């Protein structure tokens, strides 16, 4: 009769992991069978356990450990693994511990060793070591969803176990979760860098006129530091709006006469003086001139004030030919120098970007565009593909119609771009049935295309805006609290000085 073999006791007894032909055979005399899920293999340990019975234990026989077992104490929990089981994976930490014969090499692999108990102590997480222990018994590394990815990777790297020993499905989900966590941490770090100022208060210590530059820095860069800093921040936004309104009104026909033009020039000069002084104050208070020039907001400030001075430079050019110079002002739209002047004046529109210094919404929008640049580039790529495709189709269908506007594919690009954006000006329309079918397909593709990035961009924008706003509120509360503490200290100091000066306060 066939002899019935013993089945290995395991949490996953039905799991088939490789060739395990020896798991269901009769035990030989020299074999040591170590069930995985028995309580005798995983024991709770505490340094204060059985303190009362220590004297009784000493009188009894000394502790005997099985010479075929590797006693592992991980964070206070005792695990027992057979030497043969650990030696199956020689590149792992426990595999080396089972194979090494030199005691010094073994001590380098663990944190401590108990000679009396023959235990190797490891100051690691015992909850994660349960999965490491299960790996040595079954050959499969299990991964649970509730684990922290970074902590789990750190632990398995310490024990020398590769992630490839896990199941394929679990490994894919774990890597996705790890990528999500790393991306989240990256975005959090970039958000903190976005909110951090270019300089800090500590950087002015020990530098030339450090107290003065620190005072100017607080006035310009830290609007929550004092009431004067808040006033300067409000004035900066006010002058930006006044400058944009003035530039807009200067194009109105009624404002082009002598009186209106004079008022617009004076307003532009006042705004330019304020922006210049603000830029110089930031430059003076900066601790690093190199970092100051690299900052994006400082580049915007420079672009905001350069057109005014370049315009003055061009207007005061004297080439020696006064007739040509007078003609230059008369035919400014035709002259090359006049076109350059108009372009320089148009650069004043970038002053509106200065509002991003004090607007959380604009900063969140810019941060969203930087984080979603791949999605935005894909959107523009799809738009370009749609424009080229539908313009070619419309030209091939409508070019034979008398009096058509679709005379060439480049002329059809405008119609395709307008139709894809679902604006539909109606200046160019198809006449044939096939042309209308192409137009319907183009509009339908545009509706689908416009709806794709809205959810992604809006969700990220709302998330970034909420985080930036929460960080600003936290900074504001901390500064208010610090001011209250400083006020209390000053009041107590004054009271102590008054009491010290007045001897009646002691009686």
């Amino acid at each position: 009769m066939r002899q019935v073999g013993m089945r290995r006791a395991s949490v996953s007894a039905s799991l088939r992991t490789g060739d395990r032909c020896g798991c269901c055979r009769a035990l030989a005399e020299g074999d040591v069978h170590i069930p995985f899920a028995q309580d005798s293999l995983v024991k709770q340990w505490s340094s204060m356990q059985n303190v009362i019975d220590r004297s009784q234990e000493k009188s009894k026989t000394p502790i005997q450990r099985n010479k075929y077992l590797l006693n592992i104490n991980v964070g206070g929990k005792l695990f027992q693994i057979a030497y043969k089981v650990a030696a199956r994976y020689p590149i792992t930490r426990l595999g080396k511990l089972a194979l090494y014969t030199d005691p010094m090499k073994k001590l380098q692999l663990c944190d401590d060793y108990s000679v009396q108990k023959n235990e190797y102590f490891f100051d690691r997480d015992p909850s994660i070591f349960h999965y490491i222990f299960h790996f040595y018994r079954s050959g499969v590394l299990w991964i649970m969803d509730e684990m922290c990815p970074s902590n789990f990777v750190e632990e398995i790297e310490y024990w020398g176990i590769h992630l490839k020993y896990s199941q394929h499905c679990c490994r894919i989900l774990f890597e996705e979760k790890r990528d999500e966590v790393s991306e989240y941490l990256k975005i959090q770090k970039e958000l903190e860098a976005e909110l951090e100022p270019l300089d800090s208060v500590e950087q002015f210590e020990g530098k030339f006129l450090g107290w003065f530059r620190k005072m100017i820095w607080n006035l310009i860069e830290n609007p929550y530091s004092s009431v004067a800093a808040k006033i300067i921040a409000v004035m900066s936004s006010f002058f930006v709006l006044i400058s944009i309104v003035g530039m807009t009104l200067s194009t109105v026909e009624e404002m082009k006469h002598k009186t209106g033009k004079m008022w617009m020039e004076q307003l532009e000069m006042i705004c330019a003086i304020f922006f210049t002084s603000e830029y110089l104050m930031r430059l003076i208070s900066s601790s690093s001139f190199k970092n100051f020039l690299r900052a994006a907001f400082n580049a915007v400030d420079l672009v905001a004030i350069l057109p005014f001075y370049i315009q003055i430079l061009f207007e005061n050019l004297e080439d020696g030919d006064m007739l040509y110079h007078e003609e230059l002002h008369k035919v400014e739209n035709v002259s090359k120098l006049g076109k350059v002047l108009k372009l320089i004046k148009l650069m004043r529109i970038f002053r509106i970007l200065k509002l991003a210094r004090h607007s959380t919404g604009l900063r969140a929008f810019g941060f969203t565009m930087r984080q979603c640049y791949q999605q935005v580039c894909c959107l523009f790529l799809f738009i370009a593909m749609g424009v080229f495709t539908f313009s070619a189709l419309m030209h091939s269908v409508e070019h034979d119609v008398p009096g058509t506007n679709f005379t060439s594919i480049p002329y059809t690009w405008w119609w395709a771009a307008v139709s894809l954006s679902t604006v539909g000006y109606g200046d160019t329309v198809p006449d044939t049935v096939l042309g209308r079918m192409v137009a319907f397909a183009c509009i339908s593709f545009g509706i689908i295309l416009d709806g794709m990035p809205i959810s992604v961009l809006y969700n990220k924008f709302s998330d970034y805006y909420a985080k930036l706003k929460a960080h600003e509120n936290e900074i504001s509360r901390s500064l208010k609290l610090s001011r209250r503490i400083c006020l209390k200290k000053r009041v107590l100091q004054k009271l102590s000085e008054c009491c010290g000066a007045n001897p009646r306060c002691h009686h």
Side-chain angles (χ1 to χ4, degrees):
M1 183 180 293
R2 181 181 178 183
Q3 187 178 3
V4 179
M6 293 183 63
R7 189 177 184 183
R8 183 185 62 180
S10 174
V11 174
S12 306
S14 61
L15 179 66
R16 297 176 61 90
T17 56
D19 187 11
R20 301 288 181 187
C21 58
C23 295
C24 297
R25 61 177 176 84
L27 291 175
E29 294 181 358
D31 291 343
V32 179
H33 180 259
I34 307 297
F36 164 63
Q38 290 185 359
D39 294 336
S40 61
L41 296 181
V42 182
K43 299 179 180 179
Q44 292 284 348
W45 176 84
S46 176
S47 59
M48 300 300 294
Q49 188 177 3
N50 300 329
V51 176
I52 300 175
D53 299 334
R54 273 302 163 83
S55 58
Q56 300 177 3
E57 291 180 0
K58 291 181 180 179
S59 61
K60 297 180 181 179
T61 57
I63 299 174
Q64 294 182 359
R65 300 292 189 187
N66 196 324
K67 63 179 180 179
Y68 298 105
L69 295 179
L70 189 62
N71 302 308
I72 307 297
N73 192 326
V74 181
K77 287 187 177 182
L78 182 62
F79 299 84
Q80 292 179 335
I81 303 176
Y83 276 91
K84 292 195 301 182
V85 174
R88 293 175 186 170
Y89 306 96
I91 62 173
T92 63
R93 185 175 289 266
L94 295 184
K96 295 177 181 178
L97 194 64
L99 293 174
Y100 285 168
T101 56
D102 188 0
M104 297 304 297
K105 290 184 178 180
K106 288 186 176 183
L107 289 176
Q108 292 177 358
L109 295 172
C110 62
D111 296 323
D112 200 358
Y113 174 69
S114 175
V115 180
Q116 182 183 5
K117 298 181 180 180
N118 191 22
E119 288 181 4
Y120 297 93
F121 178 75
F122 295 90
D123 190 13
R124 308 301 296 186
D125 190 358
S127 60
I128 295 182
F129 187 77
H130 277 87
Y131 301 96
I132 308 297
F133 184 71
H134 182 271
F135 162 74
Y136 282 100
R137 298 299 303 159
S138 64
V140 177
L141 181 64
W142 293 106
I143 303 173
M144 296 300 174
D145 293 337
E146 61 270 12
M147 289 182 178
C148 175
S150 58
N151 188 23
F152 184 75
V153 170
E154 181 183 353
E155 288 293 324
I156 64 174
E157 286 179 353
Y158 173 80
W159 295 108
I161 299 174
H162 199 272
L163 198 61
K164 67 180 180 180
Y165 292 109
S166 62
Q167 295 287 346
H168 182 66
C169 56
C170 297
R171 185 165 66 250
I172 291 175
L173 295 175
F174 178 78
E175 289 176 351
E176 289 179 357
K177 185 178 179 181
R178 185 173 61 176
D179 293 340
E180 289 178 1
V181 172
S182 61
E183 184 68 20
Y184 175 79
L185 294 176
K186 177 186 174 183
I187 292 174
Q188 286 293 114
K189 186 177 181 180
E190 292 180 358
L191 273 174
E192 292 176 0
E194 181 78 15
L195 292 168
E196 288 180 358
L198 187 63
D199 299 311
S200 60
V201 179
E202 292 78 10
Q203 293 182 358
F204 297 102
E205 296 179 357
K207 293 190 176 182
F208 178 71
L209 296 177
W211 63 272
F212 179 71
R213 294 164 66 183
K214 177 183 174 182
M215 181 184 65
I216 296 177
W217 182 84
N218 282 324
L219 286 175
I220 298 298
E221 297 290 346
N222 194 0
Y224 299 103
S225 60
S226 61
V227 178
K230 288 184 178 179
I231 294 174
I232 291 177
V234 172
M235 288 179 61
S236 178
S237 302
F238 176 75
F239 273 101
V240 170
L241 295 176
I242 289 296
S243 174
I244 298 300
V245 171
M247 187 190 69
T248 306
L249 293 177
S250 64
T251 59
V252 179
E253 190 66 30
E254 288 78 4
M255 301 297 293
K256 289 183 178 180
H257 55 81
K258 187 175 181 180
T259 306
K261 189 175 181 181
M262 182 184 66
W263 281 103
M264 291 298 104
E265 289 178 353
Q266 291 180 356
L267 179 63
E268 175 66 19
M269 183 179 63
I270 294 173
C271 293
I273 291 173
F274 178 82
F275 295 146
T276 304
S277 60
E278 186 183 22
Y279 184 80
L280 292 177
M281 290 173 70
R282 283 196 170 91
L283 181 61
I284 293 172
S285 63
S286 176
S287 61
S288 175
F289 183 71
K290 187 177 181 180
N291 294 333
F292 178 83
L293 294 179
R294 287 181 177 179
F297 284 131
N298 296 329
V300 171
D301 293 341
L302 185 62
V303 172
I305 62 176
L306 277 181
F308 176 76
Y309 296 103
I310 295 176
Q311 180 181 351
I312 294 177
L313 180 64
F314 273 90
E315 288 179 352
N316 293 331
L317 284 177
E318 295 181 0
D319 295 334
D321 190 357
M322 298 302 296
L323 295 177
Y324 174 75
H325 196 68
E326 293 177 0
E327 190 69 16
L328 174 66
H329 290 283
K330 293 181 181 179
V331 291
E332 189 175 351
N333 295 329
V334 181
S335 173
K336 293 182 179 180
L337 192 58
K339 291 180 179 179
V340 172
L341 275 175
K342 291 189 68 176
L343 182 61
I344 292 172
K345 290 181 179 179
L346 186 62
M347 290 175 62
R348 291 182 295 175
I349 195 64
F350 292 108
R351 290 178 181 175
I352 200 170
L353 297 178
K354 289 172 63 66
L355 295 175
R357 281 187 181 272
H358 312 292
S359 174
T360 307
L362 287 176
R363 298 178 73 175
F365 178 77
F367 189 79
T368 305
M369 290 295 104
R370 291 200 302 272
Q371 294 296 323
C372 302
Y373 73 95
Q374 293 180 346
Q375 292 89 335
V376 174
C377 290
C378 283
L379 178 62
F380 282 120
L381 177 62
F382 295 152
I383 291 174
M385 290 173 57
V387 168
F388 278 100
T389 302
F390 289 106
S391 61
L393 290 175
M394 183 60 71
H395 173 259
S396 63
V397 172
E398 292 283 331
H399 73 282
D400 292 332
V401 178
T404 183
N405 292 325
F406 303 104
T407 56
S408 64
I409 293 179
Y411 278 109
T412 317
W413 286 348
W414 169 250
W415 168 87
V418 170
S419 300
L420 279 176
S421 61
T422 66
V423 176
Y425 290 120
D427 53 349
T428 305
V429 294
D431 296 326
T432 62
V433 177
L434 288 176
R436 292 172 183 175
M437 292 176 65
V438 172
F440 177 77
C442 181
I443 295 171
S444 302
F445 180 74
I447 293 173
I448 298 173
L449 198 62
D450 293 340
M452 285 176 57
I454 291 177
S455 58
V456 177
L457 295 177
Y458 176 74
N459 291 334
K460 289 191 175 183
F461 171 78
S462 59
D463 185 26
Y464 299 153
Y465 179 80
K467 290 178 180 178
L468 289 172
K469 201 66 178 177
H471 193 274
E472 282 190 355
N473 294 334
E474 184 180 354
I475 292 175
S476 177
R477 286 194 297 267
S478 63
L479 288 173
K480 288 180 181 178
L481 182 62
S482 63
R483 284 200 295 268
R484 289 177 183 175
I485 293 174
C486 291
L487 179 62
K488 288 181 181 179
K489 287 183 179 180
R490 289 197 299 268
V491 171
L492 293 175
Q493 185 178 0
K494 289 292 183 182
L495 288 175
S496 62
E497 290 177 357
C498 292
C499 292
N502 190 359
R504 294 180 180 179
C505 295
H506 299 282
H507 299 287

